[in-house]
DNA sequence: CTGAAAGCGCTAACAC
DNA sequence: GTGTTAGCGCTTTCAG
């Protein structure tokens, strides 16, 4: 930086200002500095800048795994939104382990990230306090709670399940069933799904919860088990579209018509939902929008004047996508 | 840090050493410092450490988009591998735009990342020089070239196409066809596929290249076009499994048996490949292994004594996964 | 609009 | 084993 300053015939501060607040400089000075930067191929050391300004312009984001398409979408949008605001994303994966989450938060705090994005609302013990004490903005995503750490953007899995139930019941189905995974979100969807059934006064809703990672090969035995429990099931809500597509293939194998013999509903509106035959009726969660919103909430807070702002919770909801399978 | 030092009755360096090289300390001193750290809830400022040591312990990785499952897998494995070595991942997305790639490399260099992972082998102009001049280790991924920037781990798309052709021809098919996308990798696969056909002395291989983003709804017209060109096609190689699954559904709609009337081969061995009926014969690229290898190459270089090492190119190949569709 | 001085919080190198 | 000294490369005051 001092080389640039010397070449442009100005002081260090001026070079700094040419980079960070160009409007404050006389246009001549500015272009002189810019020339020097160009000439020397100077690349400012952002680490030094971060240390001096105590703003890292980095946001830390944690997902259970990035290779889950729904989280990938959110991270994609988040990266883009933050990038437009001049922020970079530091990625962490918890692999669904609480101690990894704990460790990652320490790393994030150690790097003095300017904000943190978390997936879900259940976290490692102590993490909540730690983050709140740090004072940096936090956004939790992909779920809903009345008691967020700070900000929140997600949707209610219970509501989603209820919506699926309502739709299927509205179409005249009376023997509902569910295939999901052994994890919280899936259970909440099931709960909402059953609540809809109960509200309509229809009987028990048998469910199969597959141990994660739920693979497609688990579909056949799960369906077998459901049919064994309730031979007359006529509508099946699956925890995700891949599972639902597996059910479609399985129905084809059994010679069951869809939705004639069995109505099938997925969750997620993944690409496969349109590729399948029949196309899947499903629930769409706008994963990109979650990332966008989370990014915007952070940028807003970071641009703010520093006074503590009211907590924000955004419910982006789920959308019913009616196609052919139900 | 000075609070910790005071509380433990030692100097600053000792605290630093307790964190970074605990073996150098007497066990009493160490536990005294650790107690103080615990008590005060001290979180070391890694930014300051980076500046002082000129090692950031951050690796920058660039993908076209993280919401493409194959890149997500690589990034997942890379994050894990680097994490085990104490490195964090800074994520950048190019959205397939050269200027974004350029800008991101500047950000990475500005942050003084200790290494860079790139996707693909064709880059923004000047990027190659810039990186080589910086002297930091670079790994290119997901492709093959005889002239890498530094290190390389990927596979040959041409070889993959050839392998697919060879397999289908070996099964007695004689009228091959291809559905792909209008992008380099797809074209290279087609080239290899055609080379195999040529080597076997069979006729022209009609191809449909869909403009990205290739969606499932494009399958029907593409198949129509191929059949119009060559009514007798008996084997179809698809650029990815989703496309192949679309073809399966389309065949079901037409009443074509698979692989009886048409053998269908995919690429990628995505989850859908096992979920479909019939299950897809496909080529598997071990995306996770690419990430792992890239991470390990970097860690090796970063642990090295600093002497320039020979460039490394790893061809992880593709694997033929024979199932039912071909 | 520009500059001088004083750190940001840590680590490297060298002593003891 | 531990401490002292001198920065890392920038930004933030505060002057002018």
């Amino acid at each position: 930086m001092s080389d640039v300053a010397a070449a442009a015939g100005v002081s260090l501060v001026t070079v700094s200002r040419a980079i960070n607040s160009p409007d404050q400089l006389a246009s001549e000075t500015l272009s002189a500095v810019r020339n020097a930067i160009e000439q020397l191929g100077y690349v400012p050391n952002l680490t030094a800048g971060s240390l001096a300004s105590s703003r890292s312009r980095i946001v830390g984001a944690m997902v259970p795994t990035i290779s889950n398409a729904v989280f990938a979408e959110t991270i994609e949008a988040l990266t883009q939104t933050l990038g437009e605001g001049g922020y970079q994303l530091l990625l962490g994966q918890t692999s669904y382990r609480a101690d990894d989450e704990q460790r990652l938060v320490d790393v994030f705090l150690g790097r003095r990230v300017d904000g943190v994005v978390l997936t879900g609302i259940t976290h490692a013990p102590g993490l909540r306090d730690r983050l709140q004490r740090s004072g940096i903005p936090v956004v939790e995503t992909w779920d809903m709670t009345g008691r967020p750490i700070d900000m929140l953007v997600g949707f209610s899995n219970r509501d989603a399940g209820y919506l699926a139930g309502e739709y299927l019941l509205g179409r005249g189905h009376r023997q509902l069933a569910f295939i999901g995974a052994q994890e919280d979100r899936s259970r909440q969807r099931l709960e909402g799904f059953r609540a809809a059934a109960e509200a309509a006064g229809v009987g028990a809703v048998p469910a199969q919860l597959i141990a994660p990672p739920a693979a497609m090969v688990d579909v056949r035995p799960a369906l077998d088990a459901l049919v064994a429990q309730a031979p007359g099931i006529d509508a099946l809500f699956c925890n995700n579209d891949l599972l639902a597509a597996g059910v479609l293939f399985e129905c084809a194998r059994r010679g069951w018509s869809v939705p004639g013999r069995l109505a099938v509903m997925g969750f997620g509106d993944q690409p496969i939902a349109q590729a399948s035959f029949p196309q899947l009726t499903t629930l769409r969660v706008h994963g990109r929008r979650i990332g966008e919103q989370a990014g915007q909430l952070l940028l807003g807070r970071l641009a703010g004047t520093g006074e503590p702002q009211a907590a924000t919770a955004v419910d982006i909801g789920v959308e019913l996508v009616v196609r052919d399978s139900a």
Side-chain angles (χ1 to χ4, degrees), chain A residues 158-171:
Chain A
R158 198 180 179 289
D159 289 359
Y162 197 94
L163 184 62
E166 241 179 9
Y167 173 73
L168 291 172
L169 292 162
R171 303 277 298 178

Side-chain angles (χ1 to χ4, degrees), chain A residues 20-223:
Chain A
N20 299 311
S21 49
D23 335 322
Q24 292 184 19
L25 295 188
S27 62
E28 283 177 32
T29 323
L30 183 56
S31 56
V33 175
R34 285 196 169 151
N35 277 340
I37 288 177
E38 184 72 15
Q39 223 102 97
L40 299 174
Y42 167 65
V43 181
N45 185 328
L46 302 182
T47 298
S50 295
L51 181 59
S53 65
S54 56
R55 280 181 300 107
S56 61
R57 298 208 159 269
I58 290 181
V59 166
M62 248 158 44
V63 291
T65 158
I66 189 69
S67 67
N68 182 327
V70 299
F71 300 136
E73 266 195 346
T74 299
I75 293 295
E76 179 185 39
L78 181 65
T79 308
Q80 275 171 357
T81 307
L82 291 175
E84 284 156 18
Y87 285 80
Q88 242 54 48
L89 190 94
L90 201 63
L91 180 68
Q93 289 182 123
T94 63
S95 312
Y96 294 98
R97 282 190 301 255
D99 51 333
D100 280 25
E101 195 182 24
Q102 186 63 263
R103 201 180 39 71
L104 275 170
V105 165
D106 284 345
V107 171
F108 285 172
L109 293 179
R111 297 252 177 233
R112 299 298 188 269
V113 295
D114 292 341
V116 169
V117 176
L118 260 28
T119 304
I121 52 173
T122 54
H123 308 293
L127 192 142
R128 173 185 206 93
D129 284 354
R130 221 184 175 70
L131 282 172
Q132 283 180 327
R133 217 168 303 142
S134 76
I136 61 177
V138 175
V139 185
E140 290 166 284
T141 59
W142 275 101
D143 218 325
M144 267 295 139
T145 170
R147 193 167 155 274
I149 296 178
D150 180 8
M151 296 179 283
L152 174 67
V153 32
F155 66 97
S156 159
N157 283 291
R158 198 180 179 289
D159 289 359
Y162 197 94
L163 184 62
E166 241 179 9
Y167 173 73
L168 291 172
L169 292 162
R171 303 277 298 178
H173 299 287
R174 282 298 171 268
Q175 301 215 16
L176 310 187
F178 179 83
I179 292 185
Q182 288 174 14
E183 45 102 359
D184 277 355
R185 282 187 270 263
S186 186
R187 284 198 197 90
Q188 288 163 18
R189 284 171 209 161
L190 172 56
E191 193 189 306
F193 192 57
R194 282 185 165 149
E198 201 160 332
V202 308
V205 176
Q208 282 292 310
L209 298 187
I210 300 165
M216 301 308 316
V217 289
D218 302 321
V219 167
R220 189 178 303 178
L223 194 55

